Amino acid sequence: MKIGIHHRKGSYSDGWIAYCEEQNIPYKIVNAYGSCIVKDLADCDIFMWHHHQGNPKDVLFAKQLLFSLEKAGKLVYPDWRTGWHFDDKLGQKYLLESLGLPLIPSYVFYSQKEALTWASTYPFPAVFKLRGGAGSYNVKLIKNRQQANRAIKKAFGRGFRQYDPVFDIKEKTKKFLAGKIRLTAILKALAHLVIPYQIEKSKGRERGYVYFQEFIPDCSYDIRVQIVGQKAYAMTRSVRKNDFRASGGGNIDYDGSKVSKSAVKLSLDVAQALNMQTLAIDLLPWEGSYLIAEISYAFAIDEGELDFGFFDRNLNWNQGQINPYGWMVEDLVKKKREK
């Protein structure tokens, strides 16, 4: 048995490689961008690639390559069920609604006329989202009908940039003042007021649809649960000051033992229903339960995040440092041996 790994520094592949070396699991580094990638993986039983929504090359073909290899009988990460809806809030809407899972009430329109008609009677505020984006990028609060009408007309007219440069500058300024990044990051963000990111050049503007979610009032936090196989670890993220968003704010309590077991159970049930190898799920408290804001196969892992512990499938808390990268490899190795 051998694992093929596409390596990108700073991605999951760092942890995968370290774990394979620690456990003496045979692996080799492959180049997913190479024309001969299928041939290069001929001697591998497993292929792992942490593809990223901000990389134009990854967006272009990662899902297609992984699905093709999966159809040929190889085990892959992420597999089709895990990754097809990655960075695609529209796909997630249809998927979660189809299975009766508790998505925040969401509305999508592919006609300006229908969207304006809906907005004429909707009791705003509502949350406007683009199809893609992470860390609260491309998420705005629409406070009234006038703002909604402007967003709708723009969506069916000039369209929206993949990344809001003004929001990006504000985010990087906050991080700079907190000592987390250098001034050069702000200067680069300023340049992108005029110069599009490469992913924007590749994908073009977002247009032809408009997507809203119901605004959930009085939420001072959300819960992020991250699942690998049958293991889950969780965190509580406080809403930013003078804002309604929690994601990307950095005010996080990583001690998952404080998180409600009902939130963890819901998350594990969703992962099972969707048959996902890994799942990051954002939950908002609502009337004694939780609503799903969005999901992803991939999740950032911050410093200190892995020091607390995890829940198993029976909701038992296991205290101590964890290694989700190793869990990902273990699950595939186990599945291969069972196969």
Side-chain angles (χ1 to χ4, degrees), residues 232-283:
Y233 62 106
M235 62 200 73
T236 302
R237 307 185 298 187
S238 297
V239 168
R240 307 159 182 236
K241 186 177 180 181
N242 300 321
D243 203 336
F244 71 100
R245 295 165 293 198
S247 177
N251 189 3
I252 306 173
D253 185 347
Y254 292 117
D255 187 353
S257 66
K258 300 176 183 178
V259 172
S260 166
K261 287 187 176 181
S262 61
V264 178
K265 182 180 184 304
L266 171 61
S267 303
L268 286 164
D269 289 346
V270 170
Q272 182 175 354
L274 302 182
N275 199 11
M276 292 179 65
Q277 297 163 309
T278 59
L279 168 68
I281 184 169
D282 297 340
L283 302 174

Side-chain angles (χ1 to χ4, degrees), residues 13 21 36 46 87 100 131 142-143 177-179 225 237 273 276-277 311 320 332:
S13 61
E21 291 181 347
C36 297
I46 298 169
D87 201 40
R131 183 176 202 150
I142 302 297
K143 298 179 180 179
L177 293 175
V225 183
R237 307 185 298 187
M276 292 179 65
Q277 297 163 309
F311 292 94
L332 285 168

Side-chain angles (χ1 to χ4, degrees), residues 197-215:
Y197 286 94
Q198 288 298 320
I199 188 66
E200 295 183 276
K201 295 178 181 179
S202 174
K203 295 179 70 174
R205 285 180 171 263
E206 290 287 308
R207 55 161 63 93
Y209 73 93
V210 66
Y211 179 63
F212 295 96
Q213 281 189 333
E214 185 175 308
F215 174 66

Side-chain angles (χ1 to χ4, degrees), residues 219-232:
C219 279
S220 60
Y221 70 96
D222 75 0
I223 293 173
R224 160 63 69 88
V225 183
Q226 299 176 167
I227 295 171
V228 180
Q230 298 292 307
K231 300 182 179 75

Side-chain angles (χ1 to χ4, degrees), residues 3 19 26 47 49 105 134 145 159 161 169 177 180 185 192-193 211-212 236 272 279 294 312 325:
I3 301 175
Y19 186 80
F47 175 54
W49 182 11
R145 189 181 308 163
R161 289 184 60 174
I169 292 167
L177 293 175
K180 296 180 179 179
H192 287 299
L193 283 167
Y211 179 63
F212 295 96
T236 302
Q272 182 175 354
L279 168 68
E294 55 191 69
D312 61 27
Y325 313 111

Side-chain angles (χ1 to χ4, degrees), residues 48 50 162 247 281 337:
M48 305 182 74
H50 179 194
Q162 296 287 334
S247 177
I281 184 169
R337 287 172 178 164

Side-chain angles (χ1 to χ4, degrees), residues 314-329:
N314 296 318
L315 302 180
N316 298 310
W317 176 252
N318 299 265
Q319 188 74 30
Q321 194 168 37
I322 62 176
N323 182 2
Y325 313 111
W327 294 345
M328 295 174 195
V329 175

Side-chain angles (χ1 to χ4, degrees), residues 123-196:
F124 289 95
V127 178
F128 167 86
K129 295 185 176 183
L130 294 184
R131 183 176 202 150
S136 288
Y137 278 75
N138 303 331
V139 177
K140 296 180 180 179
L141 184 64
I142 302 297
K143 298 179 180 179
N144 51 53
R145 189 181 308 163
Q146 291 72 28
Q147 290 183 355
N149 288 345
R150 286 197 293 270
I152 290 167
K153 291 176 181 178
K154 186 173 181 179
F156 292 96
R158 186 163 180 261
F160 295 89
R161 289 184 60 174
Q162 296 287 334
Y163 289 92
D164 182 345
V166 175
F167 180 76
D168 193 31
I169 292 167
K170 291 179 180 178
E171 289 291 282
K172 286 185 167 58
T173 299
K174 291 177 185 176
K175 291 180 180 179
F176 171 73
L177 293 175
K180 296 180 179 179
I181 61 173
R182 297 181 179 180
L183 180 61
T184 51
I186 299 179
L187 297 177
K188 289 180 181 179
L190 286 168
H192 287 299
L193 283 167
V194 179
I195 305 170

